[in-house]
Amino acid sequence: MSQPLRVAIAGTSGRMGKVLIDTVLGHPDAILSVALDRAGAESLGQDAGLPLGKQSGVTICSDYASALRDADVLIDFTRPEGTLAHLAACRALGVNLIVGTTGFDEAGKAALKEAAKDIGIVFAANFSVGVNLSFKLLDIAARVLNTGYDIEVVEAHHRHKVDAPSGTALRMGEVLAEALGRDLKDCAVYGREGVTGARDPSTIGFATVRGGDVVGDHTVMFMADGERVEITHKASSRATFAQGALRSALWLRQQPAGLYDMQDVLGLR
Ligand SMILES: NC(=O)C1=CN([C@@H]2O[C@H](COP(=O)(O)OP(=O)(O)OC[C@H]3O[C@@H](n4cnc5c(N)ncnc54)[C@H](OP(=O)(O)O)[C@@H]3O)[C@@H](O)[C@H]2O)C=CC1
Ligand SMILES: O=C(O)C1=N[C@H](C(=O)O)C[C@H](O)C1
């Protein structure tokens, strides 16, 4: 029987960080070995289970370059600048990495790809099984509805979200564009205002809604004369993302170095 996976979690005090701690503490094949927050965070020195009313035995610290020596894998749902700093330490120490953070620019994505020459990385804009199934459904829908259908991606998230459109909406756009033989960079329209002119049929539109405590809703609309197809996913708990991230971490243990996503983990390629 293999040893339990030693999991480090970054952004421990964040919305996802807390759910990730809970998920790891409840899994028989994983142990929480490191809990990270930023230098200066109020949580430093506390037990990582405190916000959950649990005793984890792991004290939150900020010295990731040293603490990560005690981990097999880091699960990181923070911000691009945080993830990229952690990435360098993971690469230096041979620690695998699960990246849930969204909002990377092209240079950030290239850095993840480069580091994956030495360590295993699963990078996914959305770790829920349902969204990853939706990517497959969108690929089929776009191939079947490839002419005469206007395609729009609509997403809604809680008031605290800092990036837009969501990483999931952008990934949906990439899946759609790829299925249609287009490049998303050339055909994306991010919001509309004023006298826009009639809709260009070759575009893929994005609309963003922010408010309240919405965990994450995504709808893709395929609209033609006479009918409309909609594919919708609604997350109602962050646990679905955390469970997918931990599942990825356990899966990654058996893989060689490389850059993977949740489609690989689920065998959906
Ligand atoms: N892939 C997926 O399935 C999902 C992805 N996400 C993504 O995960 C990320 C986090 O979301 P959420 O938990 O809601 O955000 P929060 O703001 O609640 O949490 C972010 C955490 O990261 C910390 N952090 C911020 N900047 C840095 C940094 N430079 N270095 C280290 N730590 C840092 C924050 O610390 P502090 O409070 O001190 O700023 C906080 O603890 C977002 O990019 C979001 O889009 C979210 C859900 C699912
Ligand atoms: O910030 C969030 O909350 C979420 N972010 C991810 C994204 O940008 O797609 C995934 C999920 O929808 C929740």
Side-chain angles (χ1 to χ4, degrees), residues 185-202:
K185 289 190 185 72
D186 303 329
C187 66
V189 172
Y190 297 108
R192 297 184 180 89
E193 191 185 21
V195 181
T196 60
R199 191 183 190 285
D200 174 347
S202 71

Side-chain angles (χ1 to χ4, degrees), residues 15-16 77 79 100-103 124-127 131 155-158 160-170 210 214-218 233 235 238 241:
R15 278 173 290 277
M16 278 304 301
F77 286 61
R79 294 283 178 272
T101 306
T102 57
N126 198 304
F127 277 94
V131 158
E155 59 99 339
H157 282 85
H158 52 95
H160 304 287
K161 185 162 177 61
V162 296
D163 54 317
S166 69
T168 307
L170 291 170
R210 291 284 175 269
V214 180
V215 174
D217 294 356
H218 294 87
H233 178 271
R238 289 184 176 86
F241 309 129

Side-chain angles (χ1 to χ4, degrees), residues 76-132:
D76 190 314
F77 286 61
T78 58
R79 294 283 178 272
E81 60 277 20
T83 304
L84 292 174
H86 301 149
L87 173 72
C90 285
R91 191 178 189 182
L93 295 169
V95 173
N96 282 342
L97 181 60
I98 307 299
V99 180
T101 306
T102 57
F104 286 97
D105 59 16
E106 290 306 318
K109 289 182 203 166
L112 290 170
K113 195 173 171 188
E114 173 62 27
K117 290 175 181 165
D118 293 332
I119 56 171
I121 299 178
V122 181
F123 174 37
N126 198 304
F127 277 94
S128 87
V129 174
V131 158
N132 282 277

